[in-house]
Amino acid sequence: MKAKCKWRDGLYRLARVVDRREGQESRDPSKWKYYVHYYGFNRRLDEWVSLEQLDLNTVEVEPAVEIGPDGKPLKKRKPTAEEHDSDSEHAEFDAQELRVHEENTKVKNIETIELGRHCMDTWYYSPFPPEYNYCKKLYFCEFSLHFFMRRSQMLRHLAKCRIKNPPGDEIYRNGNVCMFEVDGKKEKHYCQNLAYLAKLFLDHKTLYYDVDLFLFYILCEIDERGAHIVGYFSKEKASDDGYNLACILTLPAYQRKGYGKFLISMSYELSKLEQKVGTPERPLSDLGKVSYEGYWTRALLLLLKDSDGTVSIRDLSTMTAIKVDDILGTLNRLQLIQYQKGQHVICAAPKLVDKHLKAAGSAGLVVDPNRIIWTPYNAEREYDNLKK
């Protein structure tokens, strides 16, 4: 069923009714809540609404599958532009996989979380253990990431919790910002809890329970109470595809502060220390795509702007640790490259470079490479340590 629903801006927008539930205080159908998805908007904006918010004069019952003369189901029509969703990050799913994904995750099971000083509305479904399903609010310890159904449980935990930062090695500190590297194999419980938390705000990634193969880089703000998680990115310990980042998240309470740009920049600084080129794992979310395109634009054009002579694509890749394919894609998108006589030629007029740099925005919180204290992961060294 679909109908127009009063949105947060006061306007009525076409929405699909995904689910319904009885009111807490009454079984009167007029008190029921309806879970709606707004056509043309990301699923993170799905929400529970009351009957009063629905315009019942616009209700349309979606037709059942039509059967053709040959007894076979007729093909569904293509959705209109109004009905088309903006979830381009599901490109890796085929039609059947996408239907299964959306069916299994169609309703948020957790509505809000409390993490430290912040309460945050969740965006998506996360596969918490069954006993936590449809618990409206979860309480997280911001240091250990243990989660609880009641605030009193969390407070009892905090009274006994002695850790004040993520359980890993601090690899960066500059002012009130620091970063910790956490090995998924050594701190399995913490990393699994982090995955549960992150899935509440990431729709396009499947939750990975086998965290042993990943390293997690936790970005924190420091004060007198400890190191408070702001966001993180993860990467495979050994990626055959050259990925330098698997998942990335800045928690909603800390967004628009440049932390997402910092995380992307840090992933490339680590790649430089490894003397490798890297690329993020696909697909990128809508927000992730915008952030990466901005980073690639700034990193590449600043080099071109400061260059005195000819710079090749390979030179740019070596200096930035950005994969050649991503460089070509960025320069093509900006129309700064041509294919002449069997090779790519960069055509970057100074005024055009300045125009694109201005459009890309600021670099956000800048990584100081001199403050990174880090040794690349070495599987042989890890194996030797285990034998001791």
Side-chain angles (χ1 to χ4, degrees):
M1 183 184 83
K2 57 185 177 182
K4 289 193 173 181
C5 181
K6 191 174 183 180
W7 203 45
R8 58 199 70 185
D9 59 3
L11 299 177
Y12 281 85
R13 301 182 183 276
L14 185 64
R16 177 166 55 91
V17 178
V18 177
D19 202 356
R20 66 180 183 179
R21 68 184 182 195
E22 294 180 353
Q24 291 183 325
E25 300 176 0
S26 171
R27 292 195 172 184
D28 181 354
S30 66
K31 303 297 182 184
W32 284 13
K33 293 285 187 178
Y34 298 86
Y35 194 78
V36 298
H37 167 70
Y38 297 97
Y39 286 112
F41 288 84
N42 191 282
R43 293 204 307 159
R44 62 174 166 269
L45 299 176
D46 295 2
E47 61 182 345
W48 289 100
V49 300
S50 61
L51 188 63
E52 291 77 15
Q53 291 174 259
L54 294 169
D55 183 353
L56 300 182
N57 293 321
T58 64
V59 170
E60 295 181 38
V61 178
E62 294 175 327
V65 176
E66 297 182 32
I67 304 298
D70 57 357
K72 296 181 179 180
L74 294 175
K75 290 184 178 180
K76 291 185 177 180
R77 64 176 178 84
K78 292 183 178 180
T80 64
E82 185 179 30
E83 295 173 341
H84 188 269
D85 292 338
S86 59
D87 291 344
S88 58
E89 61 262 37
H90 291 127
E92 87 280 18
F93 291 134
D94 61 30
Q96 178 61 28
E97 289 173 332
L98 182 56
R99 281 194 292 271
V100 171
H101 170 76
E102 291 187 341
E103 178 62 28
N104 292 339
T105 65
K106 64 182 181 180
V107 179
K108 300 175 199 174
N109 48 344
I110 311 295
E111 294 183 21
T112 59
I113 63 166
E114 182 176 312
L115 179 71
R117 295 175 175 174
H118 300 283
C119 285
M120 292 172 265
D121 293 334
T122 63
W123 293 356
Y124 304 111
Y125 171 91
S126 180
F128 282 87
E131 60 268 28
Y132 294 92
N133 277 347
Y134 306 104
C135 171
K136 281 192 173 182
K137 188 171 185 177
L138 276 186
Y139 300 87
F140 280 82
C141 168
E142 61 180 332
F143 303 117
S144 69
L145 297 187
H146 285 89
F147 47 87
F148 307 91
M149 287 187 278
R150 291 188 293 276
R151 199 167 194 274
S152 59
Q153 294 174 317
M154 182 190 67
L155 292 175
R156 286 198 298 271
H157 164 82
L158 289 176
K160 296 180 287 185
C161 184
R162 294 291 174 259
I163 64 171
K164 298 299 178 184
N165 54 257
D169 298 324
E170 185 174 348
I171 65 167
Y172 182 88
R173 182 176 292 208
N174 191 3
N176 72 328
V177 172
C178 66
M179 176 170 277
F180 292 81
E181 180 186 69
V182 182
D183 189 327
K185 186 171 185 178
K186 296 177 181 177
E187 302 292 346
K188 183 174 292 190
H189 195 61
Y190 176 90
C191 295
Q192 287 179 338
N193 287 347
L194 176 61
Y196 281 127
L197 171 63
K199 190 65 183 70
L200 292 169
F201 304 102
L202 295 172
D203 186 32
H204 66 294
K205 296 291 185 182
T206 54
L207 179 67
Y208 39 81
Y209 296 97
D210 186 9
V211 295
D212 293 14
L213 305 178
F214 291 85
L215 296 168
F216 297 80
Y217 296 89
I218 318 299
L219 180 62
C220 299
E221 286 184 351
I222 314 168
D223 62 18
E224 66 281 357
R225 296 187 301 116
H228 312 279
I229 182 171
V230 163
Y232 84 103
F233 73 88
S234 62
K235 63 182 290 187
E236 289 182 90
K237 292 176 179 177
S239 172
D240 294 333
D241 298 307
Y243 295 138
N244 64 355
L245 184 145
C247 282
I248 182 172
L249 172 70
T250 303
L251 291 167
Y254 297 96
Q255 291 180 356
R256 296 188 174 276
K257 294 184 177 182
Y259 287 130
K261 297 173 182 177
F262 180 94
L263 290 168
I264 292 173
S265 181
M266 179 63 81
S267 72
Y268 280 103
E269 291 300 332
L270 298 186
S271 291
K272 291 175 187 177
L273 292 173
E274 291 178 296
Q275 299 182 348
K276 296 179 180 178
V277 296
T279 189
E281 185 178 315
R282 268 54 168 194
L284 296 172
S285 69
D286 53 350
L287 297 177
K289 183 179 179 182
V290 170
S291 297
Y292 265 98
E293 287 180 348
Y295 174 81
W296 291 330
T297 297
R298 285 187 299 274
L300 296 172
L301 297 196
L302 285 173
L303 278 177
L304 292 176
K305 184 177 181 179
D306 296 337
S307 174
D308 295 329
T310 303
V311 180
S312 69
I313 301 295
R314 188 65 60 185
D315 292 336
L316 288 175
S317 181
T318 301
M319 290 186 284
T320 62
I322 298 173
K323 193 175 180 180
V324 167
D325 290 347
D326 296 329
I327 294 175
L328 291 174
T330 300
L331 295 180
N332 270 318
R333 177 173 54 83
L334 300 175
Q335 298 183 338
L336 296 177
I337 194 169
Q338 296 178 5
Y339 194 71
Q340 299 177 358
K341 297 180 179 179
Q343 61 182 357
H344 291 98
V345 179
I346 300 172
C347 305
K351 288 186 178 180
L352 194 54
V353 168
D354 290 338
K355 177 185 174 182
H356 286 308
L357 280 173
K358 184 177 180 180
S362 72
L365 188 65
V366 178
V367 177
D368 182 351
N370 296 320
R371 294 182 177 271
I372 300 174
I373 303 174
W374 181 74
T375 303
Y377 177 80
N378 185 306
E380 291 182 3
R381 183 180 64 240
E382 185 70 21
Y383 181 70
D384 289 339
N385 289 339
L386 289 174
K387 291 195 296 183
K388 292 178 181 179

